[in-house]
Structures are given as C-alpha cells and as structure tokens.
Amino acid sequence: MTEHSDLAAIEARIATAAALAGRKPDEVTLIAVSKTHAADRIEPLLAAGHRDFGENRVAEAQDKWPALRARYPDARIHLIGQLQSNKAADAVALADAIHAVDRPSLVGALAKAMDTEDRRPSCFIQVNIGDEAQKGGCAIADLPALLAAARTADLPVVGLMCLPPADIEPAPYFALLAKLARDAGLAGLSMGMSADFETAVTIGATHVRVGSALFGDRG
Ligand SMILES: *Cc1c(COP(=O)(O)O)cnc(C)c1O
C-alpha cells in the first residue's frame, strides 16, 4: 500500500475528534467524495487502501466506476445526491449505500428496484434538518411516516443523513439529527463535510462525507 498524505491527515483529524468524544476512530467511515474528479484522482486513494467513495450523480458514477471496480472490486460507492425515482434501478445496481432517501415515491421506486436487481444497498433517510426550502430531505415532521413506509417496503434503512444550513454553527443541527436517529432506533448518522466533519464526529457521526479537504476544490 502506498502513502497518501491528504488521506492520512483527514484520518488523523477524525481519530483526534473521535478520541475527544470517547469514541473509536473505526466507528467512523470516511466517505471520500469523488464527485467531479476523474479516475486518475481517485486511483491513488484506492492504491492507498481507501474503499469508501461518494458520488452525487448516477450517470457520472456509471461512467467512472466500472473500470475502477474492475481493479478494486471491494470499493464501495455511496450515492449522496438527490435521486430521481427514474434513476432508482441504476442507483440500486451501482451503489452500496444510498444517502438521500427523502420521499415516499422514492421509497417505492427503490423497493421495486431492489427486488428486480436482487441487491439491497444500505439506505439513509435524508432529513431537511434546517427546514430550508431549497434543500432536499424530508421535513422533520414527516420523518416518522417516511421511516414507517421504508420499513414496510423492507428497505434496509441504517440511519439518517443531513446537510445543515451553510455559514452557521452546525453542531445544534448535528445534535438534532442524532436525537432523531436515537428516537427512531437507528445507529447510522451520515453528517459532516470538509468544513465541519470533526464537529460531526464529536456528536456521533458514523459516516462523514469529505470532498474538497481531500481532493482540493472542485473545478
Ligand atoms: C459535495 C458533497 C459533500 C462534500 O462536500 P465538501 O465540502 O467538498 O467536503 C458532502 N455531502 C454532500 C451531500 C455533497 O453533495
């Protein structure tokens, strides 16, 4: 395995934040958000042993990942972007985890696709934690019904995901997501990005989604 200094630096920051909260670093999965970056940027991370990657567009992931997966069959793809129901079958065929399940129609489409494809990627329900009109995610008030629908449809729901409002302190939003997950009996918490992943880890994140801090700015 080759060294990758940016990866090692992020992993060290995760370990430090985890230790502050009395958690173990291996309770946190670092998702390297490789959206917009070509295979030649992704490959060094794979060569260094990293396996979890985030993409936000199904079509882009379908272009990039078959060739990479031929060489690294145990790479895991996390779809983190808003998903159209008509892309559900492609998403289920491609992804190991889907982080943006946010409405009943998508629950239905994913359930059907999982039966057809005979594949069951882990699902996170995305919550619109700051109640922002422009953001995806289900309203907090709609979470119990959406979760019930997902469980009835036999989706493998493992946790909740959020994107807190930009430019204000994210900790209260992370804490609220953690409480909602606890109340729902869900262990997974997909929260924290380049600017705030350490805060998220201290509050219980199990999956942090880090792009620019790892790859540099997206063009
Ligand atoms: C792009 C993206 C990220 C990564 O953002 P950075 O700030 O570059 O770390 C994380 N989560 C989602 C949903 C994204 O779309």
Side-chain angles (χ1 to χ4, degrees):
M1 250 181 244
T2 50
E3 270 282 319
H4 190 292
S5 58
D6 294 328
L7 176 65
I10 300 290
E11 284 175 341
R13 288 169 61 188
I14 289 172
T16 302
L20 271 175
R23 306 180 65 206
K24 298 205 177 67
D26 65 5
E27 293 171 28
V28 183
T29 299
L30 168 61
I31 300 172
V33 177
S34 49
K35 65 186 186 195
T36 77
H37 297 295
D40 64 338
R41 299 292 316 284
I42 300 172
E43 174 103 44
L45 287 156
L46 286 161
H50 194 73
R51 289 296 177 265
D52 289 275
F53 293 85
E55 294 285 346
N56 68 335
R57 291 179 49 239
V58 173
E60 181 186 338
Q62 285 175 319
D63 282 346
K64 287 194 307 206
W65 278 95
L68 288 166
R69 266 187 168 159
R71 302 188 48 208
Y72 300 95
D74 55 345
R76 288 179 290 273
I77 298 173
H78 299 254
L79 281 177
I80 61 176
Q82 234 167 19
L83 192 57
Q84 306 295 316
S85 292
N86 64 11
K87 290 276 162 63
D90 288 344
V92 164
L94 176 92
D96 297 285
I98 297 172
H99 290 243
V101 180
D102 65 355
R103 58 194 191 279
S105 58
L106 183 58
V107 164
L110 287 171
K112 190 164 158 237
M114 287 187 195
D115 287 343
T116 312
E117 302 284 330
D118 199 18
R119 258 190 121 243
R120 310 195 82 72
S122 305
C123 292
F124 291 79
I125 307 276
Q126 183 178 353
V127 180
N128 188 351
I129 202 75
D131 193 21
E132 296 174 281
Q134 78 281 15
K135 283 245 172 92
C138 77
I140 290 172
D142 296 338
L143 177 60
L146 186 60
L147 198 54
R151 284 171 167 157
T152 301
D154 217 14
L155 289 198
V157 178
V158 300
L160 302 182
M161 179 271 213
C162 77
L163 273 155
D167 303 322
I168 62 170
E169 170 57 45
Y173 296 100
F174 292 154
L176 178 55
L177 194 74
K179 183 197 182 306
L180 293 170
R182 216 162 36 239
D183 290 351
L186 293 168
L189 278 175
S190 171
M191 59 188 196
M193 318 196 337
S194 289
D196 54 22
F197 67 88
E198 288 147 306
T199 302
V201 167
T202 63
I203 298 171
T206 60
H207 294 71
V208 293
R209 311 178 308 266
V210 177
S212 47
L214 204 44
F215 290 99
D217 286 341
R218 289 177 290 273

